[in-house]
Every structure is written in C-alpha cells, then in structure tokens.
Amino acid sequence: MLLQTTLQRVFILKEKEQEIILDDPAPKWSVQAVLNFYSNNYPVLTTAKISRPVIKDDTVQYRFETVIGTKG
C-alpha cells in the first residue's frame, strides 16, 4: 500500500540580511494567496517574486524574493 504524505510548506522572507520564516496560514491557499496575506504585515512583499519551491528538511520551502531597484 502506498502512503501519500504532504510536505509542510515553509515561506522564507529575507529582509535586511535576515531570514524570516513565515508559517503556512492555510495549506489549501495558493502560494500567491499566502504572499498576499503576509503583504499586510510586510509591505515589501507587494513587489516580491516567488522562487521555485525547494524540498529541504521534509518541507517545501518557498522564498519571497524582494526586488529593490534603484532609479537612474
């Protein structure tokens, strides 16, 4: 018999050279919905991109990568 397991999702935000681990607020939500949810607390996420998922330590890790550009 084959058992199907779902890996826990972990969301990582790097802000000011520090990684912040964000819990999964609702496993049924899309990754974009999670990004939108956390953008209320972390305004920098409004322009963030979502990295490809990486499986590490029995979790699926998504990175919210902020793009801070300079004008000129």
Side-chain angles (χ1 to χ4, degrees):
M1 192 165 102
L2 182 65
L3 294 176
Q4 183 176 0
T5 59
T6 303
L7 297 177
Q8 178 183 355
R9 298 189 302 176
V10 174
F11 301 93
I12 302 169
L13 165 63
K14 190 168 186 177
E15 187 175 48
K16 299 175 184 169
E17 301 302 317
Q18 183 176 354
E19 286 190 346
I20 301 169
I21 306 296
L22 305 171
D23 292 325
D24 192 349
K28 292 185 178 184
W29 287 3
S30 69
V31 176
Q32 185 65 48
V34 174
L35 176 70
N36 294 342
F37 173 80
Y38 278 114
S39 66
N40 292 325
N41 293 337
Y42 301 97
V44 70
L45 290 178
T46 57
T47 58
K49 293 183 180 178
I50 302 165
S51 70
R52 289 185 155 189
V54 175
I55 296 175
K56 185 177 179 183
D57 300 327
D58 291 332
T59 64
V60 180
Q61 297 183 356
Y62 294 89
R63 289 188 176 271
F64 295 147
E65 299 176 356
T66 57
V67 181
I68 300 172
T70 55
K71 291 186 177 180

